[in-house]
């Protein structure tokens, strides 16, 4: 090709500043190179630090946009639910069916029979679940979920200890730490705001020591850490408590801090010393439980206490367990007794977000301190009108909602926990649930795949009268729809993404190409459906630009909407590095903590009042039904982890061939466990328990500790005729329950593994 041709070719290409807004810990820039209405490549932020640089998943997104399996037109189910047989119908017909069915169900059973199942597929302000929620509110409301699978355990612990979710320091503050402990935290893969992995790498180059604690030798352990401490899954609370033992018995605690800012230290100390149960929580005690040598526990405890300021980054993976909030509480308390709160380079652990200023999260700014008076209680309950869902309106709070009065999320008693809704569908009011559910409105969510106990989910979804799904692909969930509506992608509409953890920037996703096939945005669908439902479309009637301007207008940190739209991003200038609780520490008289006592609660009176089993007012190490030492472990001796990996964002991009190459889907198993079962690398194996059976190849690797196996979350459930999932969805095996504090037990399932067939026999028989 000669030079002139290249010039001509270049001038044919339009570069659109847009972005990726997956629910993956990032929100990043993409520059789409568009030729003849088609995206031919992506570039990303190559500018100054901090870059908003897209990762492998975002840069492979083109293979999702142009994937041959994209849903192309509206469809009506003609086979059994789950079978995947559909016929093409027109938009008009599809929306007529949905509208008529919704009206009929509302008339017959009332709005609470409509379950809205919102998912994380799109993280923009405008599309995905947002218009569906607005539409359903106008329609008279719906039954809503509570509980975030991401962090419910950590959130509970944060509210119990500090009375707020706003516990994180700005990411840059990590440079002020002497020691960073990445506890069950793998930002090399999970990102936690785009700059984080690079920042950790640079911090280490500067001499900051980084220690990682995880049953898996993750990419973060490999590339960001100086030391990896493998631990038995679900036992972290014991290790944290034993570290507190070392610190307290060695008189290394920050007693001034404890005396001035906390309540309940003595009760925690009594537990640690074994005053009531006769068991001092020594490193030797913890070694038995955690498999971490006592010596390692002692030296880590001393290192943490003596190298102030130190940042204990307690990730959400270990909190996604059967009693997850105990781990998060124990981590918080360790930060507290060493006085690592409210100081540069410290970290409160807590909710683990990385705010850059108090103003960034308005809902967590509310300060309420001191004992709550009866009138105040009533006042708060009256105000509970969460975003205008009439079914929630003025419903009394859930009785177990610790944070119901203090700015936390999900308080209404009309709500059903996300991981309990199969039971709720199957049992309804008779089973003690707040509603008899008849229809599900599912948007941006691969529900069946992403929540526990898929086989029960199949039964539950089959029992509903009507299911409508907005999707881009024929996911395992979409196969259960009665009406399936094709949705466009990030590239086919305008939207704005707010960073996942509150870092100082915004992404403007400019539309790069027209919607492919007959797909529409969720906004367009809801606008048209509103008309057929005979409801006032309100905001939905406005243009994308008009709505985005309305949504961003309260955000005073966006100085220029137009600049943001032009560039595809907006980096906010920040003068000061935000450190959570700085005011509370500097001037406690005028800035009490937003807890009942006004202090940090090592002992939480509010929890004591609730008096719920397995929810002690101080953090405690407790066993449970699917723990390594439970009777069930005799039958199912391996602990299953279902962590987040680099090739996927949940189940959203499971179909991208480039990413499949990055990490083929296999169950990770240690050579010790593999050998016992005569399993070699690449053999096809069954992973099973009483809830189901999964069949995928084995990755025999020392990167996971003996006794644990890993099926990374997000692979698509694909049952064969015998009901064995050959797609490899970990949730076939996880339990559909929750901890008392709301944590999801996705890393607390006991399983067995057995050889199904040798690798060599593949294709030869
Ligand atoms: N690539 C990618 N990134 C993502 C996502 C994604 O799907 N893909 N999802 C995003 C979302 S929505 C979320 S909520 C976050 C989730 O972020 P995290 O919850 O932090 O991610 P996980 O990988 O589940 O868990 C982190 C680490 O905890 C470890 N772990 C699990 N159980 C235990 C335990 O008992 N003890 C210890 N010490 N460690 C344990 C896991 O092995 C893993 O390495 O990630 C976000 N980032
Ligand atoms: N075992 C196990 N399970 C887990 C986890 C775990 O660690 N272990 N992690 C949990 C966590 S933290 C989370 S956040 C959840 C996430 O679970 P989900 O919220 O269900 O996320 P995805 O699986 O990515 O499904 C999103 C779907 O939305 C579709 N989609 C994308 N964009 C749009 C759009 O604009 N509109 C519409 N209508 N659809 C769109 C995608 O194609 C995809 O099918 O998974 C949870 N599940
Ligand atoms: S997948 Fe996440 S980290 Fe990767 S480019 Fe997209 S938003 Fe950024
Ligand atoms: Mo999540």
């Amino acid at each position: 090709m000669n030079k002139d041709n290249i010039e001509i070719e270049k001038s044919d290409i339009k570069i659109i500043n847009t972005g990726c807004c997956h629910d993956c810990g990032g929100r990043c820039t993409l520059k789409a190179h568009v030729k003849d209405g088609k995206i031919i490549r992506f570039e990303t932020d190559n500018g100054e630090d901090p870059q908003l640089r897209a990762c492998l998943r975002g840069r492979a997104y083109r293979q999702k946009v142009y994937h041959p399996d994209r849903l192309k037109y509206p469809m009506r189910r003609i086979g059994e639910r789950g079978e995947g047989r559909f016929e093409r119908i027109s938009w008009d017909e599809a929306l007529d069916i949905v509208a008529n069915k919704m009206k009929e169900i509302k008339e017959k059973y009332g709005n609470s029979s409509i379950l809205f199942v919102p998912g994380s597929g799109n993280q923009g302000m405008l599309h995905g679940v947002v218009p569906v929620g607005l539409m359903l509110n106008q329609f008279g409301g719906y039954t809503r979920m509570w509980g975030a699978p991401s962090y419910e355990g950590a959130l509970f612990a944060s509210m119990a200890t500090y009375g707020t979710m706003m516990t994180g320091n700005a990411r840059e503050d990590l440079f002020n730490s002497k020691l960073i402990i990445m506890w069950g935290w793998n930002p090399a893969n999970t990102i936690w705001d785009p700059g984080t992995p690079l920042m950790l790498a640079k911090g280490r180059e500067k001499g900051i020591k980084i220690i990682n604690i995880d049953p898996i030798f993750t990419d973060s352990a490999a590339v960001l850490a100086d030391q990896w401490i493998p631990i038995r899954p679900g036992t972290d609370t014991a290790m944290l408590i034993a570290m507190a033992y070392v610190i307290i018995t060695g008189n290394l605690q920050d007693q001034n801090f404890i005396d001035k800012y906390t309540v309940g230290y003595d009760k925690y100390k009594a537990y640690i010393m074994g005053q009531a149960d006769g068991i001092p929580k020594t490193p030797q005690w913890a070694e038995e439980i955690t498999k971490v040598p006592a010596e390692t526990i002692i030296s880590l405890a001393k290192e943490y206490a003596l190298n102030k300021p130190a940042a204990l980054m307690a990730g959400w993976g270990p909190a996604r367990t059967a009693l997850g909030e105990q781990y998060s509480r124990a981590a918080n308390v360790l930060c507290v007794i060493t006085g690592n709160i409210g100081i540069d380079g410290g970290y409160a652990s807590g909710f683990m977000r990385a705010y850059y200023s108090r103003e960034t999260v308005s809902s967590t700014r509310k300060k309420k301190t001191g004992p709550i008076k009866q009138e105040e209680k009533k006042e708060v309950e009256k105000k509970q009108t969460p975003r205008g869902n009439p079914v929630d309106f003025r419903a009394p709070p859930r009785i177990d909602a610790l944070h119901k009065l203090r700015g936390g999320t999900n308080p209404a008693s009309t709500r059903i926990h996300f991981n309990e809704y199969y039971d709720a569908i199957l049992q309804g009011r008779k089973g003690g649930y707040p509603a008899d559910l008849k229809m599900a409105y599912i948007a941006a969510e691969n529900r069946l795949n992403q929540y526990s106990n898929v086989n029960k989910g199949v039964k539950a979804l089959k029992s509903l009268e009507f299911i409508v799904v907005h999707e881009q692909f024929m996911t395992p969930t979409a196969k259960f729809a009665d009406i399936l509506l094709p949705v466009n992608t990030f590239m086919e509409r305008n939207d704005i993404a707010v960073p996942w953890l509150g870092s100082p920037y915004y992404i403007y996703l400019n539309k790069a190409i027209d919607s492919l096939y007959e797909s529409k945005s969720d906004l367009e669908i809801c606008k048209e459906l509103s008309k057929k439902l005979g409801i006032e479309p309100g905001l939905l009637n406005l243009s994308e630009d008009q709505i985005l301007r309305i949504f961003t207008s309260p955000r005073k940190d966006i100085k220029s909407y137009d600049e943001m739209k032009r560039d595809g991003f907006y980096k906010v200038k920040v003068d000061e590095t935000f450190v959570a609780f700085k005011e509370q520490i500097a001037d406690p008289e005028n800035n009490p903590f937003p807890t009942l006592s006004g202090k940090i609660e090592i002992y939480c009176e509010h929890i004591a009042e609730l008096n719920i089993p397995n929810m002690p007012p101080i953090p405690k190490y407790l066993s449970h039904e699917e723990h390594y030492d439970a009777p069930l472990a005799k039958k199912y001796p391996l602990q299953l982890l279902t962590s987040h990996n680099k090739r996927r964002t949940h189940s959203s991009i499971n179909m991208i061939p480039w990413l499949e190459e990055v990490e083929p889907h296999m169950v990770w198993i240690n050579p010790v466990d593999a050998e016992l079962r005569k399993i070699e690398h690449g053999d096809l194996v069954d992973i099973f328990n009483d809830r189901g059976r999964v069949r995928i190849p084995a990755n025999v690797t020392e990167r996971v500790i003996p006794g644990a196996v890993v099926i990374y979350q997000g692979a698509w459930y694909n049952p064969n005729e015998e009901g064995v999932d050959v797609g490899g969805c970990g949730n076939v095996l996880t339990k559909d329950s929750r901890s008392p504090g709301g944590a999801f037990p996705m890393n607390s399932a006991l399983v067995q593994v057995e050889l199904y067939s040798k690798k060599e026999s593949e294709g030869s028989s």
Side-chain angles (χ1 to χ4, degrees):
M1 198 186 281
N2 68 34
K3 189 170 163 274
D4 288 343
N5 280 348
I6 294 172
E7 294 284 303
I8 291 164
E9 186 145 298
K10 267 195 184 157
S11 67
D12 278 355
I13 296 171
K14 271 197 280 182
I15 297 180
I16 311 289
N17 291 324
T18 181
C20 177
C21 66
H22 274 133
D23 184 29
C24 64
R27 303 289 187 266
C28 311
T29 61
L30 287 174
K31 293 175 191 168
H33 292 230
V34 180
K35 190 175 178 228
D36 299 332
K38 197 169 174 188
I39 302 166
I40 53 165
R41 70 179 278 242
F42 282 132
E43 261 186 290
T44 183
D45 189 348
N46 298 319
E48 283 166 23
D49 276 349
Q51 288 184 342
L52 306 171
R53 199 176 173 77
C55 78
L56 69 167
R57 300 180 291 282
R59 296 172 81 165
Y61 190 65
R62 208 156 54 89
Q63 287 197 332
K64 178 164 180 174
V65 176
Y66 295 112
H67 198 288
D69 295 347
R70 260 205 50 190
L71 297 179
K72 299 181 177 64
Y73 27 74
M75 291 192 285
R76 172 186 19 223
R77 182 171 54 78
I78 49 172
E80 288 291 299
R81 282 217 176 108
E83 217 184 305
R85 287 199 297 128
F86 286 83
E87 67 177 2
R88 177 178 184 172
I89 53 174
S90 69
W91 269 108
D92 207 37
E93 194 183 353
L95 296 181
D96 272 341
I97 298 171
V98 176
N100 290 337
K101 204 67 204 174
M102 283 174 69
K103 285 189 219 163
E104 184 193 316
I105 285 173
K106 173 176 170 154
E107 178 75 34
K108 244 163 106 180
Y109 311 109
N111 278 81
S112 69
S113 67
I114 302 171
L115 182 67
F116 175 30
V117 187
S120 69
N122 173 64
Q123 293 291 307
M125 285 179 159
L126 180 52
H127 295 287
V129 299
V130 177
V132 184
L134 291 171
M135 177 187 73
L136 291 177
N137 282 346
Q138 282 299 106
F139 188 61
Y142 54 90
T143 286
R144 184 173 171 153
M145 315 291 202
W146 73 273
S150 317
Y151 51 65
E152 200 63 30
L155 169 63
F156 176 93
S158 194
M159 297 305 291
T161 317
Y162 302 112
T164 172
M165 298 150 74
M166 200 151 170
T167 57
N169 301 353
R171 222 20 121 231
E172 294 72 33
D173 184 55
L174 284 174
F175 286 135
N176 298 320
S177 307
K178 287 190 187 151
L179 170 74
I180 298 170
I181 305 179
M182 300 195 295
W183 201 307
W185 197 48
N186 179 19
N189 285 358
T190 49
I191 309 296
W192 287 65
D193 277 2
T196 302
L198 183 65
M199 204 166 283
L200 288 163
K202 284 187 174 167
R204 193 161 156 237
E205 274 171 16
K206 285 187 177 180
I208 300 170
K209 185 164 181 190
I210 303 186
I211 298 175
N212 178 249
I213 302 164
D214 201 305
I216 304 175
F217 185 67
T218 59
D219 289 359
S220 296
V223 300
L224 300 174
D226 296 280
Q227 186 188 354
W228 173 47
I229 302 176
I231 186 167
R232 171 154 39 202
T235 64
D236 306 76
T237 312
M239 177 153 162
L240 288 156
I241 289 170
M243 284 170 70
Y245 177 95
V246 175
I247 290 167
I248 293 168
T249 54
N251 205 19
L252 302 174
Q253 76 277 17
D254 186 337
Q255 197 62 46
N256 279 342
F257 185 94
I258 293 168
D259 295 342
K260 199 162 170 194
Y261 302 106
T262 75
V263 292
Y265 173 72
D266 290 343
K267 294 192 173 89
Y268 191 51
K269 186 173 170 185
Y271 165 69
I272 283 181
M273 302 316 288
Q275 274 176 18
D277 59 7
I279 305 171
K281 311 298 178 300
T282 63
Q284 291 72 20
W285 164 82
E287 176 175 337
E288 286 279 301
I289 298 166
T290 60
K291 287 191 182 169
V292 179
E295 280 314 307
T296 309
I297 299 174
I298 294 166
S299 69
L300 182 66
K302 287 185 179 163
E303 236 177 317
Y304 179 60
L306 295 172
N307 284 289
K308 249 168 92 177
L312 169 54
M313 310 296 286
W316 295 339
R320 211 172 288 111
T321 50
L323 295 167
E325 56 271 9
Q326 297 311 320
Y327 148 79
S328 302
R329 282 268 282 149
N332 296 349
V333 169
L334 205 68
C335 303
V336 170
I337 65 169
T338 51
N340 271 301
I341 313 290
I343 55 169
D344 295 353
Y347 211 84
S349 198
F351 190 53
M352 284 286 286
R353 297 217 163 184
Y355 301 116
Y356 65 90
S357 75
R358 288 225 165 265
E359 278 63 47
T360 47
V361 180
S362 55
S363 63
T364 54
R365 259 189 300 152
K366 292 180 209 141
K367 278 187 193 159
K368 270 202 193 77
T369 47
I372 293 175
K373 298 182 196 88
Q374 243 355 75
E375 315 86 77
E376 192 194 352
K377 218 171 191 168
K378 284 201 193 109
E379 207 35 48
V380 176
E381 286 169 12
K382 238 181 11 194
K383 276 190 204 143
Q384 276 165 0
T385 56
R387 302 266 150 73
N389 174 11
V391 171
D392 271 354
F393 190 70
R394 299 222 172 138
R398 292 190 342 256
I399 47 165
D400 57 352
L402 167 72
H403 38 283
K404 66 190 178 195
L405 298 167
R406 297 190 173 271
T409 54
N410 313 312
S413 55
T414 43
R415 298 191 194 178
I416 296 168
H417 189 271
F418 243 104
N419 220 28
E420 289 181 329
Y421 100 48
Y422 296 145
D423 262 347
I425 291 175
L426 293 167
Q427 298 179 38
R429 288 199 170 95
K430 280 197 194 118
Y433 291 98
D436 289 320
L437 302 165
K438 301 292 176 187
M439 97 160 249
Y441 204 117
I442 304 179
E445 166 136 307
N446 193 355
R447 166 71 217 192
L448 189 64
N449 213 75
Q450 291 305 111
Y451 290 83
S452 299
N453 204 349
V454 175
N455 288 322
K456 194 195 264 186
V458 167
K459 280 193 207 116
L461 292 184
K462 280 188 175 168
S463 76
L464 286 170
E465 271 188 32
F466 188 62
I467 301 177
V468 53
V469 174
H470 291 200
E471 247 306 339
Q472 297 160 336
F473 280 80
M474 186 63 80
T475 63
T477 309
K479 288 183 179 169
F480 285 75
D482 296 297
I483 296 292
L484 184 48
L485 304 174
V487 176
N488 61 12
T489 67
F490 302 148
M491 294 300 125
E492 295 153 67
R493 60 206 187 196
N494 295 293
D495 211 334
I496 292 174
V498 179
W500 199 62
L501 294 170
S503 281
Y505 72 91
Y506 294 87
I507 300 286
Y508 196 105
L509 292 96
N510 281 292
K511 177 178 157 183
I513 54 170
D514 289 334
S515 289
L516 293 181
Y517 320 107
E518 284 190 16
S519 68
K520 290 182 193 286
S521 70
D522 299 284
L523 179 68
E524 288 167 321
I525 296 172
C526 293
K527 182 173 167 177
E528 288 175 29
L529 189 54
S530 293
K531 286 181 201 144
K532 292 194 188 273
L533 288 169
I535 54 176
E536 182 48 55
L539 269 185
L540 303 177
N541 229 357
L542 304 179
S543 70
E544 286 178 333
D545 188 64
Q546 285 170 318
I547 307 175
L548 287 171
R549 282 180 194 272
I550 292 172
F551 282 179
T552 47
S553 62
R555 294 180 178 263
K556 300 295 169 229
D557 51 356
I558 302 176
K559 301 284 181 242
S560 168
Y561 177 95
D562 294 311
E563 240 178 68
M564 170 169 67
K565 182 165 170 52
R566 182 196 64 203
D567 298 340
F569 62 85
Y570 189 83
K571 292 183 188 174
V572 182
K573 289 192 184 61
V574 184
D575 304 327
E576 206 185 334
T577 303
F578 176 72
V579 171
F581 304 126
K582 221 167 192 171
E583 300 96 320
Q584 280 85 350
I585 300 310
D587 179 8
E589 293 303 310
N590 292 311
N591 301 289
F593 280 82
T595 55
L596 282 179
S597 59
K599 299 205 170 190
I600 297 172
E601 300 196 345
I602 297 174
Y603 176 94
C604 175
E605 192 67 50
H606 203 159
I607 297 183
E609 273 171 24
L610 288 171
N611 193 21
I612 290 173
N614 279 337
M615 205 206 255
I618 50 165
K620 281 190 176 171
Y621 170 70
L622 302 164
S623 183
H624 56 83
E625 279 174 9
E626 302 223 12
H627 205 36
Y628 79 94
D629 60 355
L632 191 67
K634 295 223 161 38
K635 193 172 170 195
Y636 299 118
L638 298 169
Q639 292 179 277
L640 174 70
L641 296 174
T642 57
S643 311
H644 298 227
N645 70 346
K646 62 172 165 268
R647 71 163 274 201
R648 294 194 196 92
T649 297
H650 309 298
S651 73
S652 274
I653 44 177
N654 189 48
M655 75 297 289
I656 293 185
W658 284 333
L659 298 175
E660 166 75 24
E661 268 177 54
V662 168
E663 205 166 272
H665 191 54
M666 298 167 103
V667 56
W668 288 24
I669 183 165
N670 187 276
V672 171
D673 295 316
E675 202 174 313
L676 263 174
R677 294 165 176 80
K678 311 226 173 333
I679 292 166
E680 289 173 302
H681 189 77
D683 289 348
L684 204 53
V685 300
D686 276 6
I687 310 99
F688 60 98
N689 61 18
D690 291 341
R691 288 179 286 271
R693 186 173 282 261
V694 171
R695 184 170 299 153
I696 48 174
N699 175 16
V700 178
T701 172
E702 285 179 345
R703 290 186 65 177
V704 58
I705 63 155
V709 291
V710 192
I711 300 178
Y712 285 104
Q713 64 121 9
W716 284 14
Y717 167 68
N718 180 18
N720 67 11
E721 298 87 65
E722 286 109 53
V724 177
D725 172 25
V726 296
C729 171
N731 283 322
V732 166
L733 304 163
T734 60
K735 189 172 176 183
D736 54 318
S737 61
R738 66 169 176 100
S739 75
F744 291 63
M746 278 136 173
N747 291 317
S748 295
L750 291 174
V751 298
Q752 180 56 291
V753 176
E754 68 188 18
L755 180 67
Y756 178 73
S757 65
K758 297 302 290 178
K759 189 184 181 189
E760 296 75 38
S761 66
E762 251 178 51
S764 62
S765 55

